[in-house]
């Protein structure tokens, strides 16, 4: 069975929302893995703060799952839960999430010097597919501005991923790790899963929206797969949708 997957950090729910929707329509992926999604229910909010509601309406995926990390009302003109989202053409038969840092809160604020306390989670869904159960994990890693720092938090992040995938068939882990691919935490994960892109990407940031030149050599978005899964196609489209670039992979399971 072939499965196409796209992963993208939406950038505050979709700062360039129309461009994101147009891109995802063209990609027509079986599974879409998104970070920095919003679940605001106030219809007066901008579309980016109602990511889930707007994506359901505009893309029409029959199945989805959202995990909230915290209630954000610093960037939004109102209150909206922020977290991870997965859209799927396949039925979701089970779902769960585990936090790397903290737990869901309505108290966290993005304050300089406090980024390492930002709640981050590993979202998981089990999909019913013609090839059997496929386990998709959506990662947004712990926040650390030093992409090579193998901190205790990053070590813990890798341990959480490794424990979560244990014994599960057909595993895909995708998302924004917030760690460079040379980081030891990524190497720890690669002892159990294959990295689709390895170290071949120079950066996964869209430098059209970054002033710090350090981002130009920071490949932090990734896709990992079980050893039994074959990569048929992979790409990093150079499209202006977010402050990150999307990754795509067509897999054979």
């Amino acid at each position: 069975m072939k499965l196409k997957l796209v992963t993208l950090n939406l950038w505050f729910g979709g700062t360039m929302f129309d461009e994101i929707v147009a891109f995802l329509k063209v990609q027509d992926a079986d599974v879409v893995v998104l970070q920095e999604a919003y679940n605001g229910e106030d219809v007066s909010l901008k579309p980016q703060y109602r990511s889930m509601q707007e994506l359901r309406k505009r893309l029409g995926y029959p199945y989805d799952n959202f995990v909230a990390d915290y209630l954000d009302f610093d960037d939004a003109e109102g209150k909206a839960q922020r977290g991870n989202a997965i859209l799927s053409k396949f039925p979701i038969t089970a779902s769960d999430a585990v936090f790397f840092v903290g737990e869901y809160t309505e108290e966290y604020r993005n304050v300089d010097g406090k980024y390492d306390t930002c709640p981050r989670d590993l979202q998981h869904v089990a999909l019913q597919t013609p090839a059997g159960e496929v386990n998709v994990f959506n990662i947004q890693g712990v926040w650390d501005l030093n992409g090579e720092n193998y901190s205790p938090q990053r070590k813990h992040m890798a341990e959480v991923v490794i424990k979560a995938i244990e014994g599960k068939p057909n595993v895909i882990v995708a998302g924004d790790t917030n760690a460079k691919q040379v980081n030891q935490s990524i190497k720890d994960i690669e002892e159990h899963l294959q990295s689709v892109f390895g170290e071949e990407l120079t950066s996964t940031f869209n430098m059209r929206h970054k002033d710090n030149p350090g981002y130009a050599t920071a490949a932090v978005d990734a896709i990992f797969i079980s050893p039994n899964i074959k990569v048929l196609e992979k790409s990093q489209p150079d499209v202006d949708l977010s402050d990150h670039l999307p990754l795509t992979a067509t897999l054979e399971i």
Side-chain angles (χ1 to χ4, degrees):
M1 182 195 78
K2 292 183 180 180
L3 182 151
K4 184 175 182 179
L5 179 139
V6 172
T7 180
L8 175 66
N9 183 314
L10 290 175
W11 193 23
F12 292 115
T15 303
M16 305 174 71
F17 204 87
D18 290 340
E19 291 83 352
I20 289 169
V21 169
F23 173 78
L24 292 177
K25 283 183 176 180
V26 170
Q27 291 297 311
D28 191 27
D30 298 296
V31 179
V32 180
V33 175
L34 303 168
Q35 304 83 50
E36 293 192 22
Y38 281 83
N39 196 34
E41 297 182 355
D42 184 345
V43 294
S44 69
L45 292 172
K46 296 176 182 177
Q48 71 186 91
Y49 300 117
R50 294 182 284 109
S51 304
M52 294 306 299
Q53 291 74 15
E54 288 296 313
L55 291 171
R56 287 184 189 117
K57 180 172 67 176
R58 301 193 197 190
L59 296 178
Y61 276 85
Y63 309 99
D64 64 65
N65 182 256
F66 173 79
V67 175
D69 288 337
Y70 59 95
L71 186 68
D72 186 357
F73 51 92
D74 289 339
D75 300 307
E77 298 170 0
K79 298 181 181 181
Q81 290 181 330
R82 170 170 160 164
N84 287 344
I86 296 174
L87 313 178
S88 174
K89 292 183 179 181
F90 301 110
I92 296 173
T93 58
S95 63
D96 58 79
V98 60
F99 280 79
F100 302 127
V101 179
E103 57 186 14
Y104 176 77
T105 179
E106 299 189 355
E107 305 300 324
Y108 175 78
R109 301 291 176 272
N110 286 335
V111 178
D112 289 344
K114 298 291 185 180
Y115 297 139
D116 62 340
T117 66
C118 180
R120 299 293 201 198
D121 80 88
L122 180 70
Q123 177 188 20
H124 166 240
V125 297
L127 304 180
Q128 178 185 328
T129 81
E133 181 177 290
V134 175
N135 289 278
V136 178
F137 293 83
N138 182 5
I139 182 173
Q140 185 166 28
V142 296
W143 204 338
D144 187 326
L145 296 179
N146 181 350
E148 298 183 17
N149 180 26
Y150 185 47
S151 64
Q153 280 188 323
R154 281 207 175 112
K155 183 175 185 294
H156 174 67
M157 176 180 76
E159 292 170 345
V160 168
V161 172
I162 293 165
K163 182 178 180 181
I165 68 172
E166 185 178 4
K168 290 184 172 60
N170 302 320
V171 168
I172 303 170
V173 178
D176 173 9
T177 70
N178 271 313
K180 289 186 177 181
Q181 299 309 294
V182 296
N183 192 290
Q184 184 58 47
S185 63
I186 303 302
K187 299 304 178 185
D188 292 345
I189 293 171
E190 288 177 347
E191 291 183 8
H192 302 266
L193 298 172
Q194 172 191 350
S195 175
V196 169
F197 291 90
E199 296 180 24
E200 66 186 67
L201 300 176
T202 302
S203 174
T204 56
F205 286 98
N206 180 2
M207 294 306 294
R208 301 172 182 87
H209 301 287
K210 294 296 184 184
D211 297 324
N212 186 334
Y215 287 109
T217 56
V220 300
D221 299 86
I223 302 173
F224 306 93
I225 55 177
S226 296
N228 66 292
I229 299 176
K230 182 179 179 181
V231 180
L232 300 179
E233 295 179 355
K234 59 183 178 179
S235 70
Q236 182 192 53
D238 184 18
V239 287
D240 191 14
L241 310 172
S242 168
D243 62 340
H244 287 245
L245 295 172
L247 298 179
T248 78
T250 300
L251 308 171
E252 184 175 68
I253 302 173

